[in-house]
Amino acid sequence: MTAFTTRGPTRTELLGYDTYWKVSELGVLHRRHDYPADLLARILTKALALKSTASERQHLDLRVIPGAGTLIPEINELVRWPGRLEALSELAGATLEPHPVSVLASFITFMGAAADDGVAGWHADGVPVTEIIPLRISEDAIGGDLRVYCGNHEHGRARQLRGEQLDANEVVHFPHRMGQSTLAQLMRVLHSTEPMSAGHRISLNLTLRSATRPYIDDNALYFLGADNPSFDWVDEYLDDVKNRQLPAYMATQTST
């Protein structure tokens, strides 16, 4: 992996307080990746071919192909790319593993000025850690930055529900660039995508979690059901809870 990395605020700096519910102090950072251009191009080509049949305009007002790795095998090749997990773990300050639940493991997102796509509204992630890899950013793109609210996410959402606007000095912008990926721990962190007034962005989102504390995860069943109403993922989810999350959690309880 190349050494170029730009670190943004830590998790504690973003929230304004420390919390147990975290993988590490990872907040948001950018890094130059070494993923093969031809592999990313194949993923993009297949994503575009699947857009009309496999993508959905989900409840966050965002067009997404959920569980994209089940439809595009090249994504799983990228997940296992040599040195990737080691490099991301070093940057995060914790040993990471790919999220094992297929509907959560990978997403293709389509964002843009066109009414067909939209952008992500304000929300907090259920998955602990996400690597966002731009597959295409059009030359005329305006907007589309990751926007992160600095403060308690529940306080921020409560203010929004009261009709209040978040002040500009409370929000940090993180632009996306081709050839770089964004590694972020946005679980219980309020964030959104800046509206796009022109152009579009197509990104691959690969999710990760702590390998030693896999139960640090905010994916409630109702939250998953909102995006995946078929519920065909439930057995896979429960198997992970039973065989990975619960044993790891019980091990921490017996050791304290």
Side-chain angles (χ1 to χ4, degrees):
M1 294 288 176
T2 51
F4 171 83
T5 303
T6 302
R7 288 189 177 271
T10 66
R11 182 172 178 83
T12 296
E13 289 169 342
L14 288 173
L15 294 175
Y17 58 90
D18 196 9
T19 174
Y20 167 81
W21 205 251
K22 62 184 179 182
V23 167
S24 67
E25 267 302 301
L26 171 69
V28 180
L29 62 82
H30 296 292
R31 71 186 189 102
R32 183 180 296 125
H33 64 70
D34 67 349
Y35 304 142
D38 62 332
L39 178 59
L40 297 179
R42 293 200 304 274
I43 293 171
L44 174 61
T45 297
K46 292 190 175 183
L48 290 169
L50 289 166
K51 182 180 180 182
S52 62
T53 58
S55 70
E56 309 168 350
R57 188 71 174 265
Q58 295 191 337
H59 72 287
L60 290 175
D61 201 27
L62 174 68
R63 181 161 295 280
V64 175
I65 299 177
T70 63
L71 302 172
I72 305 174
E74 287 86 351
I75 291 176
N76 300 316
E77 183 179 346
L78 187 59
V79 168
R80 298 187 296 270
W81 190 251
R84 173 178 176 262
L85 278 179
E86 293 80 1
L88 296 183
S89 296
E90 181 177 355
L91 290 170
T95 302
L96 301 177
E97 66 179 16
H99 205 292
V101 179
S102 57
V103 296
L104 296 170
S106 57
F107 305 83
I108 299 286
T109 58
F110 301 89
M111 304 183 187
D116 182 53
D117 291 335
V119 294
W122 288 100
H123 68 288
D125 282 359
V127 293
V129 176
T130 303
E131 183 184 21
I132 306 169
I133 307 165
L135 298 175
R136 175 190 287 173
I137 302 176
S138 65
E139 292 184 358
D140 62 339
I142 300 175
D145 289 358
L146 169 66
R147 300 185 297 185
V148 179
Y149 169 69
C150 295
N152 183 296
H153 78 286
E154 292 190 0
H155 294 171
R157 287 296 289 148
R159 288 172 55 191
Q160 290 177 324
L161 290 172
R162 292 196 298 266
E164 299 178 22
Q165 295 292 322
L166 302 179
D167 295 335
N169 61 4
E170 298 177 292
V171 177
V172 183
H173 287 240
F174 300 95
H176 297 281
R177 296 184 176 90
M178 294 299 296
Q180 297 181 21
S181 68
T182 301
L183 186 67
Q185 185 177 194
L186 297 173
M187 174 184 58
R188 301 192 182 184
V189 174
L190 188 62
H191 63 285
S192 68
T193 302
E194 179 187 21
M196 298 190 70
S197 57
H200 65 272
R201 173 165 62 87
I202 303 171
S203 298
L204 170 62
N205 298 258
L206 301 178
T207 66
L208 307 107
R209 68 184 187 185
S210 168
T212 56
R213 296 195 299 159
Y215 52 87
I216 300 293
D217 193 306
D218 240 14
N219 280 296
L221 291 176
Y222 74 85
F223 187 85
L224 292 179
D227 284 340
N228 307 280
S230 68
F231 285 91
D232 56 1
W233 45 268
V234 170
D235 288 346
E236 188 179 17
Y237 178 93
L238 293 179
D239 180 73
D240 179 61
V241 171
K242 179 181 178 180
N243 294 306
R244 285 283 288 118
Q245 296 189 37
L246 180 58
Y249 173 73
M250 294 306 296
T252 64
Q253 299 308 295
T254 58
S255 63
T256 57

